[in-house]
Amino acid sequence: MKPPLSELPIKTADTGFYGGFSVSVTVISKIIISVLVVWAIVWPEWAGKVLGAWNTTILANFAAWYIWVVAFFIIVCLGLALWPTGGKLKLGRDSEEPEFSNFSWFSMMFGAGIGVGMLTWAVAEPIAHFKNNPSVIQGATTALNADNVREAYVWSFLHWGLGAWACYAVAGLSLAFFSYRRGLPLTIRSSLTPLFGKALSGNLGHFIDIVAVVATILGVAQTLGFGVEQFVAGLTRIGIGGLALEDGSATTLGIIVALLVIMGASTLSALSGVGKGIKWLSNINMVLSIVLLGFFIIFGATFFGATAFFVGIFDYLVALPGLSFNVFVSDGVEGSEAFKLAQWQGWWPVFYWAWWIAFAPFVGLFLARISKGRTIREFVLGAMIVPSLMCFVWFAWAGGTAVDLELSGGAGGVILDAANGDKIFAMTEFMLAPIAQWLAWAMALLIVVLLMTFLVTSADSAVLIVNTINAAGDEGPKARPHILFWGAALALVVGGLLISGGTGAIQTAMVIGALPFSIVMVLMCVSLIKAIYNDGRREKVGVQSVTAGADAMPSGIPAE
């Protein structure tokens, strides 16, 4: 057997504004995103109508694809961890040790992954499923009743559990493997070299990286869209008026103020790099998360949350095989049970799987960047199980407190009737205001600060990752002007889509953008399995498989 491919030259500009960048990838990506921004801002009604039509088509024709492809990713990840040949391989040289401590590794992974989602959905989603889910639609359980609590948690854990993190692990593992064991550039195309070889140096590789950049911007825009609305709700709660309407939705002024604050801070953090700004912000928001979560565990529904956590995990694992492959098919009759089930699946599982897939190039490349020196087994189990459990803890105690307050009748609909982004603020105010109004205000301030650190971490990580892809794996200082561009572009995408159609417009654009990248991710799985299998054969006959030598580092990644 021959040694594996260890060189993938990607043409980059030598000088000028695009010096060090792949002009084809960078310019085309910027054009696509710029057209989307102009379209959403200048013709908002037209954009909303077209995006809605596309979304309907995708949900009608590709719902099964999204459901089954995520099930495939879970199987691949668990299979690689259990595979004796693959699980023991290091993401780097055999002597390499991890760059970051476990605490920093988990903090950055959780913060950049879906940490910000916890502040919206840990309370909002269990309440939403407590009100409606497939069991309610089929008449097996009753909305807002005790018999529906377990079903609410099965669906909440499904959406934020192993499936979400399998998407990230597939992308991260593929990138880390080919970058740190092969010495290939830390960019999406490198993960497909066992399938397409040196052809990835040309237009095929450019196309794959462009798809990844567009998916990343749209996936992060979805997260920031939810975050901006919640950030505005928080600012309103702490006494800053004029940023939200009576129904809790953000005004145009509120959107602009929130984006200026968040994207300004994230751009400054991105300029400082992964080892400084992002690492410190991740550690800060992990500490604040523990403080907030501790409040819910100690002063919230302590026993109810513990029951939801342990029983919820059991129910989730039992239901996982069936739910991973189940697809509800509409009969086309509006109002029928089949129609409602298919519609619900489009609103929840399909939306989430598209979100995680769109988020995967960003989180995956970021995970690869911080996971050098870890084994494949350590990476897969660390990137799937630990963050999933953290999500379950949040849903059990934060969401469990909300469900318990509504179930007992104490909240009287205060939490249930609040906007999704405002639910956590409504709940903490309901709990603390009777004791002392300043306590409720202080807790709202803590949540706003925590939300901002999560949003900044997600946004600045995304900007760095997009630049790394555009620069053929290089994240050196010459990327600084482009960091500023992508920071502004991300803010405009979020602002433009929010103004043209709210978070629904961002959701639709993201579901569309995720579709082509889902195909790339399937190819990444096949490519990785092929590479590990061939490395095992090479080891048996004494052929070198780790082709990144002692001094050979992927482009743009400094040696420790």
Side-chain angles (χ1 to χ4, degrees):
M1 292 195 67
K2 297 178 182 179
L5 179 68
S6 59
E7 290 186 8
L8 187 65
I10 302 172
K11 185 179 179 182
T12 57
D14 295 325
T15 57
F17 183 71
Y18 288 102
F21 283 77
S22 168
V23 176
S24 299
V25 175
T26 309
V27 172
I28 295 175
S29 299
K30 287 181 177 180
I31 289 172
I32 292 171
I33 295 300
S34 298
V35 167
L36 177 62
V37 168
V38 171
W39 184 41
I41 293 176
V42 178
W43 298 284
E45 290 185 9
W46 177 35
K49 187 179 294 184
V50 172
L51 287 173
W54 288 353
N55 189 48
T56 301
T57 302
I58 286 179
L59 291 181
N61 296 286
F62 293 97
W65 167 259
Y66 276 121
I67 299 293
W68 293 339
V69 82
V70 172
F72 173 66
F73 296 152
I74 296 174
I75 292 169
V76 168
C77 287
L78 295 179
L80 289 174
L82 297 173
W83 188 6
T85 302
K88 66 181 181 181
L89 295 179
K90 268 200 171 183
L91 301 175
R93 302 181 299 278
D94 291 337
S95 60
E96 206 127 32
E97 294 299 322
E99 179 182 356
F100 298 102
S101 68
N102 285 339
F103 181 81
S104 288
W105 187 50
F106 290 135
S107 296
M108 286 191 281
M109 186 161 50
F110 186 73
I114 49 182
V116 66
M118 289 298 94
L119 294 179
T120 300
W121 297 107
V123 175
E125 187 158 345
I127 281 283
H129 298 327
F130 182 48
K131 187 176 182 180
N132 190 36
N133 62 58
S135 292
V136 173
I137 294 171
Q138 293 170 318
T141 57
T142 310
L144 303 177
N145 205 302
D147 69 342
N148 198 36
V149 173
R150 290 177 70 168
E151 282 296 321
Y153 273 94
V154 167
W155 289 104
S156 297
F157 285 7
L158 176 74
H159 298 151
W160 295 80
L162 298 179
W165 292 93
C167 295
Y168 301 158
V170 162
L173 189 56
S174 299
L175 291 161
F177 183 90
F178 291 102
S179 186
Y180 300 138
R181 289 185 68 83
R182 299 285 194 259
L184 296 173
L186 187 63
T187 186
I188 304 298
R189 71 178 81 187
S190 296
S191 60
L192 302 184
T193 48
L195 300 180
F196 302 109
K198 292 187 176 180
L200 291 165
S201 290
N203 290 334
L204 176 61
H206 297 336
F207 174 76
I208 289 167
D209 282 348
I210 290 166
V211 166
V213 169
V214 173
T216 298
I217 293 296
L218 294 177
V220 176
Q222 178 69 67
T223 299
L224 293 179
F226 284 135
V228 161
E229 295 226 318
Q230 188 170 29
F231 189 65
V232 170
L235 293 177
T236 303
R237 288 278 179 176
I238 61 175
I240 301 175
L243 303 181
L245 300 173
E246 287 185 8
D247 63 358
S249 60
T251 62
T252 301
L253 175 63
I255 292 169
I256 293 171
V257 169
L259 286 172
L260 284 174
V261 173
I262 293 163
M263 296 312 301
S266 66
T267 303
L268 290 174
S269 178
L271 289 170
S272 70
V274 174
K276 295 179 182 177
I278 296 174
K279 177 183 175 181
W280 281 106
L281 277 172
S282 297
N283 289 342
I284 289 169
N285 63 32
M286 182 59 80
V287 171
L288 290 177
S289 295
I290 292 170
V291 171
L292 181 59
L293 191 56
F295 167 77
F296 290 126
I297 292 173
I298 297 169
F299 300 105
T302 306
F303 180 74
F304 187 96
T307 305
F309 180 73
F310 292 107
V311 175
I313 289 177
F314 173 79
D315 289 345
Y316 162 64
L317 292 176
V318 170
L320 181 61
L323 295 181
S324 295
F325 295 96
N326 181 58
V327 178
F328 294 116
V329 180
S330 174
D331 59 5
V333 180
E334 191 167 348
S336 69
E337 182 179 297
F339 180 88
K340 288 179 181 178
L341 288 170
Q343 186 181 54
W344 189 92
Q345 188 168 52
W347 286 341
W348 291 100
V350 172
F351 157 66
Y352 270 123
W353 294 165
W355 190 4
W356 306 148
I357 288 168
F359 227 43
F362 149 51
V363 182
L365 210 153
F366 186 74
L367 287 184
R369 175 65 186 84
I370 64 175
S371 302
K372 187 178 178 184
R374 299 184 183 274
T375 65
I376 288 178
R377 184 172 295 116
E378 183 182 10
F379 179 93
V380 168
L381 297 180
M384 283 182 67
I385 294 176
V386 175
S388 293
L389 288 174
M390 277 296 296
C391 290
F392 296 165
V393 167
W394 270 95
F395 276 86
W397 274 279
T401 299
V403 171
D404 188 44
L405 288 171
E406 290 290 358
L407 185 61
S408 66
V414 169
I415 305 168
L416 196 64
D417 296 339
N420 284 334
D422 196 36
K423 278 182 166 58
I424 192 169
F425 295 106
M427 180 172 71
T428 52
E429 181 165 337
F430 175 79
M431 293 169 67
L432 294 173
I435 302 170
Q437 188 62 45
W438 70 267
L439 278 176
W441 183 89
M443 182 57 74
L445 180 63
L446 183 147
I447 295 171
V448 168
V449 172
L450 178 57
L451 177 64
M452 183 175 170
T453 59
F454 268 135
L455 288 170
V456 169
T457 303
S458 296
D460 62 11
S461 302
V463 169
L464 283 176
I465 292 316
V466 165
N467 268 307
T468 301
I469 298 172
N470 287 335
D474 190 347
E475 57 174 0
K478 59 179 168 291
R480 288 177 182 270
H482 300 275
I483 286 176
L484 297 174
F485 172 86
W486 285 111
L490 189 53
L492 289 171
V493 168
V494 176
L497 289 173
L498 277 177
I499 291 167
S500 70
T503 52
I506 303 180
Q507 177 179 329
T508 301
M510 180 271 300
V511 169
I512 296 166
L515 189 59
F517 192 72
S518 67
I519 299 169
V520 173
M521 286 182 65
V522 170
L523 295 175
M524 291 169 90
C525 291
V526 176
S527 177
L528 185 61
I529 293 169
K530 180 180 179 181
I532 293 173
Y533 173 72
N534 284 336
D535 276 5
R537 294 173 61 203
R538 290 186 183 98
E539 188 177 338
K540 289 180 181 178
V541 295
V543 175
Q544 179 70 24
S545 61
V546 183
T547 53
D551 299 317
M553 299 294 295
S555 174
I557 305 298
E560 286 90 6

